Amino acid sequence: MLGLLRQAPGAAPALEALAGVDDLYVVGGAVRDALLGRVPRELDFVVEGQADPVARRAAWRLGGDVVAHDRFGTATVRAPGAVFDIVSARTETYPEPGALPDVRLGASIHEDLQRRDFTVNAIGYRLGDAELVSVAGAREDLDAGVLRVLHERSFEDDPTRLLRLARYGARLGFEPDPETDALAAEATVDAVSGARLGSELRLLLREPQPAALLALERHGLGRALLHPDFAADAARIETALAILPEPLVALAAALVGAHDLAPRLDQLEFDAGSRRAVVDAAGSSQPLSESIGGLPDAELWRALKAERPETVAVAGALDRGGPAEAAARRWLGDLRHRRLAITGQEFVAAGLTGPAVGEALDAAQAAALAGEAPGAEEQLAAGLAAIKGRAPS
């Protein structure tokens, strides 16, 4: 157990700095992963008592500093090679569905574990003596590959747990138990802010695909979260990611044909570039897929030079195994990276100005891809010929 925990990023110095602290636990996903024989992504520490003095001692040992949040009983240690949080054991209550919890400090580790999302994440490992503590049934659920909430109000208290159910299911290959699945079927995300939902969705996009997006099909969560046209087709998502392995490609492949996406993505606080990539790919990929198959290199370059890579990838995935997929792969893997032997400077020297320079470069590129202008001299001539009569002046 400890050997796997030490392999997590930044874990070794943190564990050394925290050696000798009483009633200090590694909790949650790190313990779950180590019990499954996996290296954790990060370590979460909980102490029975006050987090701040524990964090300050660790920071002193590491030559770092501490950012404390006394109201929430958390402290972040920032030191060379290690950044980690220490949290005071607490209980939480939710004043209303979807609201952020009210925190009460001074709890025991057993009380703290009761506030977790699923039993398999409600396990702690005490560093002092290697004792494992957990809620009832946690180890059995871990062995069985089951995701089980700790109480019947879990999704009502925090509906973002619906997305975490999808995330952990995709990452671990676990399934919800029947009672948890029934509770998820009745839950909604309506009371949660777009910012919190968007944050969880972006985390979900980093999980194994298409499994994570397929999990959003359960009980209509993807349609409620994103758009009525959400449809996670496994083959389409796999093909799109094989063409261009980017998380936004997977999301766009599940939203093909969805219009008026931008307002919802804004509510989910996607940045402008990500929003445009998903909106363009979802809205433009279908007609593009129908038009690019079988085009020669020069015509394909003209057709796709202004398109976003995500749009091209999804367009190819819509024609899996067909000419549009081949065209998308050819464009993204080769044609868009081709460079001329000349630049715009040669056309400026030849007397062109303004938009004419760009037009000449486009013509030279098309001629080069068509095999008509292999060298600098031929490319210059092709570009000048394309705008004959406009320049030189």
Side-chain angles (χ1 to χ4, degrees):
M1 168 69 77
L2 187 58
L4 286 168
L5 294 177
R6 289 180 64 86
Q7 294 179 53
L15 290 169
E16 291 170 7
L18 292 167
V21 176
D22 293 332
D23 297 320
L24 180 69
Y25 297 81
V26 179
V27 297
V31 183
R32 175 202 67 213
D33 289 347
L35 288 171
L36 291 171
R38 305 181 182 192
V39 174
R41 297 183 178 188
E42 62 182 356
L43 301 190
D44 294 317
F45 298 99
V46 169
V47 63
E48 290 183 324
Q50 295 185 1
D52 185 68
V54 175
R56 294 194 181 281
R57 185 170 78 168
W60 177 79
R61 289 179 171 180
L62 293 171
D65 56 22
V66 173
V67 178
H69 305 280
D70 294 336
R71 177 185 173 189
F72 301 103
T74 65
T76 301
V77 177
R78 301 183 184 277
V83 177
F84 54 93
D85 293 328
I86 303 173
V87 179
S88 298
R90 83 268 312 279
T91 60
E92 294 176 346
T93 56
Y94 291 82
E96 58 186 31
L100 292 173
D102 293 331
V103 172
R104 181 183 69 81
L105 303 179
S108 69
I109 186 63
H110 297 280
E111 291 173 314
D112 186 275
L113 293 176
Q114 290 291 335
R115 69 183 178 88
R116 306 284 162 169
D117 47 13
F118 304 104
T119 58
V120 296
N121 293 333
I123 308 174
Y125 174 82
R126 187 156 60 190
L127 290 170
D129 59 6
E131 180 185 1
L132 283 169
V133 296
S134 63
V135 300
R139 298 293 299 277
E140 292 80 4
D141 287 345
L142 191 65
D143 291 339
V146 167
L147 293 171
R148 186 191 310 273
V149 292
L150 273 67
H151 57 88
E152 65 180 12
R153 287 180 52 87
S154 182
F155 294 126
E156 184 178 347
D157 285 344
D158 186 359
T160 64
R161 289 171 177 163
L162 293 167
L163 278 82
R164 278 180 255 160
L165 183 69
R167 281 207 290 128
Y168 296 136
R171 185 192 306 175
L172 303 171
F174 286 12
E175 291 288 337
D177 76 288
E179 291 83 3
T180 295
D181 194 48
L183 291 170
E186 298 174 358
T188 74
V189 295
D190 296 345
V192 185
S193 70
R196 291 180 64 205
L197 291 174
S199 178
E200 287 289 341
L201 176 60
R202 285 182 285 278
L203 289 173
L204 182 140
L205 292 177
R206 301 176 190 171
E207 300 294 347
Q209 301 295 350
L213 285 169
L214 285 171
L216 293 185
E217 291 282 10
R218 204 176 200 122
H219 309 310
L221 180 57
R223 294 188 294 277
L225 175 67
L226 281 156
H227 194 279
D229 291 335
F230 177 89
D233 181 285
R236 179 191 299 169
I237 294 170
E238 288 174 345
T239 304
L241 287 172
I243 298 171
L244 185 66
E246 297 289 344
L248 293 178
V249 168
L251 180 60
L255 289 166
V256 171
H259 299 290
D260 299 321
L261 265 175
R264 182 52 178 163
L265 295 182
D266 282 340
Q267 291 173 347
L268 296 172
E269 294 194 356
F270 276 66
D271 63 79
S274 297
R275 182 196 65 219
R276 286 194 296 269
V278 175
V279 169
D280 288 355
S284 303
S285 55
Q286 185 69 59
L288 196 65
S289 179
E290 296 168 357
S291 65
I292 60 174
L295 291 180
D297 286 355
E299 293 183 32
L300 186 64
W301 185 82
R302 288 187 184 278
L304 297 181
K305 64 186 178 69
E307 298 290 348
R308 294 178 178 275
E310 295 86 357
T311 304
V312 176
V314 177
L318 290 173
D319 187 34
R320 186 163 57 100
E325 181 188 347
R329 289 181 178 274
R330 196 163 84 250
W331 164 256
L332 291 169
D334 178 21
L335 298 184
R336 67 171 176 154
H337 303 296
R338 298 273 188 95
R339 294 293 180 265
L340 293 170
I342 58 174
T343 68
Q345 293 301 316
E346 284 83 353
F347 289 114
V348 171
L352 300 190
T353 59
V357 175
E359 294 173 16
L361 284 168
D362 285 350
Q365 184 70 271
L369 291 172
E372 299 168 356
E377 184 176 343
E378 295 90 347
Q379 291 166 13
L380 180 61
L384 292 173
I387 56 170
K388 184 178 180 180
R390 294 186 56 186
S393 58

